[in-house]
Amino acid sequence: TPMPGDIILSPTGNGNGKLSNGHVGIVGTGEMVMSNSSVSGYWEQNYTLESWRARYEKVGGFPVLFYRVAG
């Protein structure tokens, strides 16, 4: 179960070809996910865990991996 502060990763090179690349983000509170916006250059809360899975797992075929930051 992901916790706030965990890294979420859908690695490029592991998809089904329907999306050109994967993505990386940081799990926030309330199942929100922050990721870097290529347009603005800022980290923004632009996904939920559900919408991340819908895009990267269901459409793109990427795995959804979680990493806990030690500290």
Side-chain angles (χ1 to χ4, degrees), residues 6 10 16 21-23 30-31 34 36 38 50 53:
D6 288 354
S10 291
N16 58 21
N21 58 297
H23 206 40
E31 297 196 356
M34 297 177 287
N36 185 304
S38 298
E50 183 179 339
R53 286 189 183 278

Side-chain angles (χ1 to χ4, degrees), residues 1-61:
T1 303
M3 295 174 49
D6 288 354
I7 304 298
I8 182 172
L9 175 65
S10 291
T12 298
N14 292 284
N16 58 21
K18 292 183 180 178
L19 296 176
S20 60
N21 58 297
H23 206 40
V24 64
I26 301 169
V27 177
T29 58
E31 297 196 356
M32 297 299 294
V33 176
M34 297 177 287
S35 68
N36 185 304
S37 167
S38 298
V39 174
S40 71
Y42 294 105
W43 285 80
E44 301 172 349
Q45 271 189 316
N46 48 11
Y47 289 98
T48 62
L49 290 174
E50 183 179 339
S51 67
W52 184 285
R53 286 189 183 278
R55 177 171 174 79
Y56 293 104
E57 186 174 49
K58 292 180 183 166
V59 173

